[in-house]
Amino acid sequence: MGNTALDHNPPGGDRHITTHASDWLWAVFAIMLLSMLISIFWTTSSTHRNRTFHQIPVIVLTVATIAYFAMASDLGWTLIAAEFGSQPTRQIWYVRYIQWFINAPLLLLGLLLLTGLSISDILTTMFFSWVLVICGLVGALTHSSYKWGFYAFGLFALFYIWYRLHGHSARFPYRGQRSGYHGGAGYLSFIWLLYPICWGLSEGSNRISPTSEMVFYGILDILSGPVFLAIFMSRVHRLSQSELGNVGFGATGRGLVGEKNTGGNQPGMTGAAAGVGPGRTGAVNGADNANNVNNV
């Protein structure tokens, strides 16, 4: 299968993947495809009323399946002039960065929805995952040593994500057990630390071959994709409906995600929905006073 793919889509450049790399990529593709089908079946057969968490694995694994189909077929790449090494050109797979651009913020979203962070905090954290991925792509496509400037910006974005996951989120209540969230956040943080190491050895310094790069990235994508999602969803599935609430960019037991409920005693209602707001508060109080006078 790998030989056929490379025959139809010949590799280019001086440093490119081999048939062994293509065979490995087909194996990763099969893992992603099987995981995607399992996640779809789990989502459609689940009686759990809250499906927000169940949709994330479906999207992430679908994107990963398509990306690995492209890379196994030796598609979705371009050539750059390598800054280091005796071989002047190297294959760079931009389709991998498209996969990360979609999947990285979704993995963060799944974790952060278990915290009391506000929508603005969650969106900002997701934005920095895009910064991390885009800096990696631009740096990989840069021939000169200026690529390491983008590498530094990407590391800053990664450090900011760590702060949100482990520092800022600790100030807010959690859904379910605190240890469950920190276990998932710690696992994902460690795996994501290895991505810049692989980048520095492959696209950055051209130290390892594209075949070794595919093996390294493939293992990391399996660990941060199917393995992480299986562990994460098994923990989420044990949470009760009352613990999860109506998770999403809407009402929850504390109002909007991470926002303090400022009005009313009914769970999930914001101040405006509960009748607190300019003009309405006075009208409600005036009506209550009139009713009290009539009762006297």
Side-chain angles (χ1 to χ4, degrees), residues 129-168:
S129 70
W130 289 322
V131 173
L132 174 62
V133 174
I134 292 300
C135 286
L137 174 60
V138 176
L141 297 177
T142 302
H143 166 65
S144 67
S145 58
Y146 282 86
K147 67 172 59 183
W148 298 105
F150 294 104
Y151 183 79
F153 285 124
L155 287 180
F156 169 78
L158 181 60
F159 294 154
Y160 181 88
I161 293 171
W162 287 350
Y163 163 71
R164 287 292 191 183
L165 288 176
H166 303 286
H168 189 65

Side-chain angles (χ1 to χ4, degrees), residues 21-86:
S22 181
D23 293 340
W24 161 252
L25 291 171
W26 282 118
V28 179
F29 162 77
I31 294 173
M32 297 297 184
L33 177 62
L34 178 61
S35 302
M36 179 195 70
L37 295 176
I38 293 174
S39 65
I40 292 176
F41 175 78
W42 191 11
T43 301
T44 55
S45 63
S46 175
T47 57
H48 206 288
R49 288 187 299 164
N50 191 311
R51 295 184 179 271
T52 302
F53 290 106
H54 293 77
Q55 304 296 343
I56 292 177
V58 174
I59 300 173
V60 169
L61 295 171
T62 299
V63 173
T65 299
I66 297 172
Y68 271 91
F69 173 82
M71 289 187 287
S73 303
D74 198 29
L75 300 172
W77 57 269
T78 188
L79 284 179
I80 68 157
E83 179 186 5
F84 304 102
S86 58

Side-chain angles (χ1 to χ4, degrees), residues 16-243:
H16 52 75
I17 63 171
T18 63
T19 55
H20 297 294
S22 181
D23 293 340
W24 161 252
L25 291 171
W26 282 118
V28 179
F29 162 77
I31 294 173
M32 297 297 184
L33 177 62
L34 178 61
S35 302
M36 179 195 70
L37 295 176
I38 293 174
S39 65
I40 292 176
F41 175 78
W42 191 11
T43 301
T44 55
S45 63
S46 175
T47 57
H48 206 288
R49 288 187 299 164
N50 191 311
R51 295 184 179 271
T52 302
F53 290 106
H54 293 77
Q55 304 296 343
I56 292 177
V58 174
I59 300 173
V60 169
L61 295 171
T62 299
V63 173
T65 299
I66 297 172
Y68 271 91
F69 173 82
M71 289 187 287
S73 303
D74 198 29
L75 300 172
W77 57 269
T78 188
L79 284 179
I80 68 157
E83 179 186 5
F84 304 102
S86 58
Q87 296 172 308
T89 57
R90 181 187 179 98
Q91 278 185 303
I92 298 294
W93 280 264
Y94 57 82
V95 69
R96 172 185 290 123
Y97 292 90
I98 297 175
Q99 169 200 348
W100 293 340
F101 186 85
I102 299 173
N103 288 350
L106 290 177
L107 295 176
L108 290 176
L109 176 63
L111 276 173
L112 295 177
L113 285 178
L114 292 176
T115 71
L117 288 175
S118 65
I119 293 178
S120 60
D121 288 331
I122 294 176
L123 291 178
T124 302
T125 308
M126 295 170 64
F127 166 78
F128 273 92
S129 70
W130 289 322
V131 173
L132 174 62
V133 174
I134 292 300
C135 286
L137 174 60
V138 176
L141 297 177
T142 302
H143 166 65
S144 67
S145 58
Y146 282 86
K147 67 172 59 183
W148 298 105
F150 294 104
Y151 183 79
F153 285 124
L155 287 180
F156 169 78
L158 181 60
F159 294 154
Y160 181 88
I161 293 171
W162 287 350
Y163 163 71
R164 287 292 191 183
L165 288 176
H166 303 286
H168 189 65
S169 63
R171 306 174 187 176
F172 299 89
Y174 294 87
R175 302 179 190 275
Q177 295 181 353
R178 181 186 296 258
S179 60
Y181 164 78
H182 282 292
Y187 174 89
L188 192 64
S189 297
F190 173 73
I191 298 301
W192 281 16
L193 173 64
L194 300 178
Y195 280 95
I197 296 176
C198 183
W199 190 97
L201 293 173
S202 54
E203 293 106 322
S205 63
N206 199 29
R207 295 284 183 181
I208 63 177
S209 67
T211 297
S212 300
E213 168 194 340
M214 289 299 183
V215 174
F216 200 157
Y217 276 136
I219 294 174
L220 294 180
D221 283 344
I222 291 173
L223 293 176
S224 62
V227 175
F228 169 76
L229 290 170
I231 298 173
F232 176 72
M233 290 306 300
S234 65
R235 292 180 176 178
V236 169
H237 200 67
R238 291 197 296 264
L239 297 178
S240 64
Q241 183 64 32
S242 60
E243 289 177 306

